[in-house]
Amino acid sequence: MSNSVTVDTKPYEGQKPGTSGLRKKVKVFIQENYTENFIQCILDVNKTSLIGSTLVVGGDGRYLVKEVVDKIIKISAANGVSKLIVGQNGILSTPAVSYIIRKYKTLGGIVLTASHNPGGADEDFGIKFNCSNGGPASDATTDAIYKLTTSIKQYKIVPDLNCAIDKIDVHTFKVDQRQFTVEVIDAVEDYVSYMKEIFDFPKIKALIQGTEQRKPFNVLIDAMNGVTGPYVKRIFLEELGCSEKNVRRIVPLEDFGGAHPDPNLTYAADLVEAVKEGDYDFGAAFDGDGDRNMILGRDAFFVTPSDSLAVLADNLECIPYFARGGVRGLARSMPTAAAVDRVAAARALPLFEVPTGWKYFGNLMDAGQLSLCGEESFGTGSDHVREKDGLWAALAWLSLLAHSGRSVQEMLQAHWKQFGRNYFTRYDYENCTSESCEEMMSVLERTMTSPGFVGSAHSAGGKEYVVKLADNFSYVDPIDQSVAKRQGLRIIFEDGSRIVFRLSGTGSSGATVRVYVDSYEAVSVGGAAADALGPLVSIALDISRLKQYTGRDEPTVIT
Ligand code: G1P
Ligand code: ZN
């Protein structure tokens, strides 16, 4: 029998969740009561539903996850939560949390991750609240959490409640006369059985192992020392019959082994090398918490996430989940290249364009209007959960390849031939000074909205583009009519090409400028993206005077 106590505390500034939860340096989270305050505010937002409720808790295995799980257990017990479902050792991938919330119909879940940001004592940590639909909390909820953090005076905790999370087990406690249960679950079991319902595993296995007619299809799957390691092990080694040479970095490490666990051409460059050098037909990598993916073909042929979404959209019927349930609608975030729009048009499916961040897809999925969606930032997923899902994307691609008998590159070439090609690139300028970036954005917005900008012609590299529309993107949610304003500056040209500017909402310090460029070619589809986009990139840098404001000659990352 334990009792809760009330501890006096003071608000911390800046506990405002960004695109995907509260992300700060570990040093910030370990300040006295900093983490406790934020957890208490998450629980307070759910105050009226806490008694008798169940929450799911897990994270990506980074530094501090276990300590924070312990705090969540102690604080949840004191606040009347009835039960926590916790991943063994605090491990659960973000899509697995989403699935477990939905499967066990819980009030929600707390995800401990800073996603693809580096981990370790000097790096990043993050806390995110997901609601009962399994998706990231809405802006209204995160705003309410933030508001509570600005005035918090006390939190409740059961200091002497100690619960081991290293073994699968059910622990029950008596707290303040109530029963409190912590169920420690196998981190991968539920998720893997769900994947086996969604996909045709025997078909994927036959692809990978080869048949009399077809030689084995050699895959290389990289968990980047993140949370997907145990999932990759179970799915690829145990279920699909792969061997050790088909997987890499599958043990989750607190600092991701020093890697920046972001699956793109810059941070997953060694996977690119390994696929190039080895005899591999397919490569995939996932980020720290398992919701992002990068897909490569033979010789490290790179599939842009925008193209990946479009190709999947055009072939979903070969996946049992969609063959059974049908495809209702498609969606992408605003900066994502518009390749999927053409598939939607060809198939007469509704197409939604939402602001950056997975939370905006959830309402559409809950309303049964959206089946598949994606973001250019290496996020792809479907309504099987309410998060993007890296492993799901790799399995979806393998399903398409098994079905079509084509290589990754052949799939893309056939797609471009039919639909034309949206060349896309994103330039990131990381860790710049916040003030100058904000100034750049407001000056640019003024330029873009001044009279005469629409209709103006801009030329570079022998090409001319005429502005058709220029605005700061706002979105009205078609389901609940909530409005998200100022979601990115976009310039759309007469030929459909686009330039978008945004400041990142996931950084833990300073500002990151993202410049997105999307250009459509109906016929000339075989060129290099850098050549096709060069003129628009230089127009973007000119209009925004980006070099002057950021002091940077080159971006940190180009994707
Ligand atoms: C970034 C991506 C965005 C994604 C988010 C979470 O957010 O751009 O698409 O949803 O990470 O993975 P940003 O830093 O741009 O706000
Ligand atoms: Zn992530």
Side-chain angles (χ1 to χ4, degrees):
M1 165 80 194
S2 309
N3 287 315
S4 60
V5 300
T6 301
V7 179
D8 289 334
T9 185
K10 285 201 191 81
Y12 275 96
E13 270 180 25
Q15 291 196 322
K16 191 171 172 55
T19 310
S20 195
L22 180 68
R23 287 194 197 161
K24 302 279 175 197
K25 292 283 172 212
V26 164
K27 284 195 193 80
V28 174
F29 274 101
I30 58 177
Q31 297 173 93
E32 191 182 12
N33 297 338
Y34 188 94
T35 299
E36 288 83 346
N37 280 10
F38 194 69
I39 296 165
Q40 181 66 52
C41 294
I42 290 178
L43 297 181
D44 281 345
V45 147
N46 293 288
K47 209 181 203 145
T48 51
S49 335
L50 281 185
I51 303 290
S53 69
T54 300
L55 290 172
V56 181
V57 183
D60 61 11
R62 70 178 60 227
Y63 186 85
L64 215 62
V65 163
K66 285 186 191 155
E67 287 84 342
V68 175
V69 169
D70 184 58
K71 286 184 179 169
I72 293 173
I73 292 174
K74 292 181 160 89
I75 297 173
S76 299
N79 280 275
V81 173
S82 285
K83 180 174 173 184
L84 295 181
I85 299 176
V86 180
Q88 188 179 10
N89 289 316
I91 293 270
L92 284 176
S93 76
T94 294
V97 172
S98 186
Y99 177 55
I100 293 165
I101 292 172
R102 294 171 69 76
K103 178 169 180 183
Y104 298 106
K105 301 193 171 32
T106 74
L107 174 64
I110 301 177
V111 200
L112 305 175
T113 175
S115 184
H116 49 283
N117 295 5
D122 295 324
E123 298 294 352
D124 287 7
F125 188 74
I127 305 182
K128 184 167 91 157
F129 177 64
N130 281 26
C131 298
S132 59
N133 74 344
S138 65
D139 287 339
T141 306
T142 54
D143 288 348
I145 294 173
Y146 172 58
K147 197 154 174 247
L148 289 170
T149 67
T150 61
S151 60
I152 184 167
K153 294 193 178 66
Q154 291 177 326
Y155 64 85
K156 286 201 249 164
I157 190 162
V158 187
D160 59 357
L161 188 152
N162 293 313
C163 181
I165 56 165
D166 58 339
K167 290 197 182 65
I168 296 167
D169 205 349
V170 179
H171 306 267
T172 49
F173 305 89
K174 199 103 206 177
V175 174
D176 298 340
Q177 313 299 336
R178 280 189 304 263
Q179 171 142 319
F180 175 67
T181 305
V182 177
E183 182 177 357
V184 181
I185 60 165
D186 180 313
V188 305
E189 187 68 44
D190 289 305
Y191 179 83
V192 173
S193 28
Y194 193 35
M195 289 302 117
K196 288 168 77 174
E197 277 173 40
I198 294 173
F199 297 105
D200 185 342
F201 268 47
K203 200 167 168 184
I204 301 175
K205 188 171 182 176
L207 169 79
I208 288 176
Q209 304 213 311
T211 57
E212 273 177 18
Q213 293 79 32
R214 204 151 75 184
K215 71 180 185 60
F217 193 81
N218 206 10
V219 306
L220 184 56
I221 310 292
D222 189 349
M224 298 190 86
N225 301 318
V227 75
T228 55
Y231 298 81
V232 167
K233 187 164 178 261
R234 186 83 64 93
I235 292 175
F236 284 90
L237 296 184
E238 292 167 26
E239 296 285 344
L240 298 174
C242 289
S243 73
E244 292 291 339
K245 74 170 190 4
N246 298 117
V247 297
R248 35 189 340 253
R249 302 195 278 188
I250 61 167
V251 177
L253 299 174
E254 288 199 335
D255 64 350
F256 305 113
H260 190 143
D262 199 359
N264 59 42
L265 294 175
T266 303
Y267 294 128
D270 49 340
L271 172 72
V272 175
E273 275 314 300
V275 172
K276 255 187 207 155
E277 279 164 18
D279 180 28
Y280 290 108
D281 302 297
F282 180 83
F286 315 112
D287 72 333
D289 64 326
D291 56 357
R292 293 187 173 197
N293 75 90
M294 177 170 76
I295 302 293
L296 301 172
R298 213 172 164 78
D299 298 321
F301 176 86
F302 172 63
V303 184
T304 71
S306 307
D307 277 343
S308 172
L309 173 64
V311 173
L312 289 175
D314 200 34
N315 291 279
L316 286 177
E317 299 78 13
C318 72
I319 297 172
Y321 177 88
F322 298 102
R324 285 192 302 264
V327 179
R328 282 179 279 273
L330 306 170
R332 61 170 171 82
S333 64
M334 180 273 282
T336 302
V340 70
D341 301 27
R342 294 172 194 278
V343 177
R347 296 183 157 244
L349 286 169
L351 186 275
F352 304 93
E353 182 181 33
V354 310
T356 296
W358 210 259
K359 58 190 164 194
Y360 297 102
F361 295 123
N363 272 355
L364 293 163
M365 289 182 175
D366 291 346
Q369 298 191 20
L370 173 59
S371 302
L372 176 81
C373 54
E375 294 192 276
E376 47 62 44
S377 54
F378 297 81
T380 324
S382 86
D383 62 353
H384 70 290
V385 289
R386 295 294 180 273
E387 291 276 7
K388 53 190 178 253
D389 190 343
L391 268 156
W392 177 93
L395 292 168
W397 261 96
L398 290 169
S399 307
L400 264 56
L401 296 167
H403 182 78
S404 69
R406 287 178 164 154
S407 70
V408 173
Q409 190 161 357
E410 285 163 356
M411 292 289 289
L412 263 298
Q413 272 154 356
H415 188 89
W416 294 333
K417 197 163 170 230
Q418 183 180 352
F419 292 97
R421 178 173 176 189
N422 283 77
Y423 288 95
F424 179 83
T425 190
R426 183 177 105 181
Y427 280 32
D428 293 336
Y429 298 80
E430 295 177 338
N431 249 311
C432 301
T433 330
S434 298
E435 293 72 33
S436 57
C437 292
E438 270 149 30
E439 197 187 330
M440 179 189 89
M441 293 294 279
S442 54
V443 171
L444 177 59
E445 186 167 2
R446 250 178 290 151
T447 310
M448 285 171 45
T449 48
S450 61
F453 189 77
V454 171
S456 63
H458 303 260
S459 27
K463 284 204 130 191
E464 189 182 78
Y465 298 88
V466 177
V467 178
K468 186 174 168 198
L469 184 154
D471 69 358
N472 199 332
F473 181 64
S474 40
Y475 176 68
V476 181
D477 185 299
I479 310 303
D480 66 12
Q481 268 65 53
S482 59
V483 181
K485 288 196 178 134
R486 312 183 65 78
Q487 296 295 316
L489 299 174
R490 52 174 193 170
I491 304 175
I492 304 180
F493 298 97
E494 296 282 358
D495 71 345
S497 298
R498 301 184 309 157
I499 301 174
V500 175
F501 299 86
R502 275 184 70 246
L503 294 185
S504 156
T506 55
S508 59
S509 56
T512 291
V513 184
R514 304 202 196 283
V515 184
Y516 312 76
V517 179
D518 171 5
S519 171
Y520 177 71
E521 293 283 345
V523 182
S524 157
V525 298
D531 300 337
L533 297 168
L536 274 174
V537 169
S538 70
I539 291 171
L541 301 185
D542 263 8
I543 296 182
S544 59
R545 289 192 275 159
L546 185 138
K547 290 187 181 175
Q548 177 192 324
Y549 281 105
T550 60
R552 302 282 176 82
D553 276 335
E554 297 297 333
T556 339
V557 180
I558 299 182
T559 38

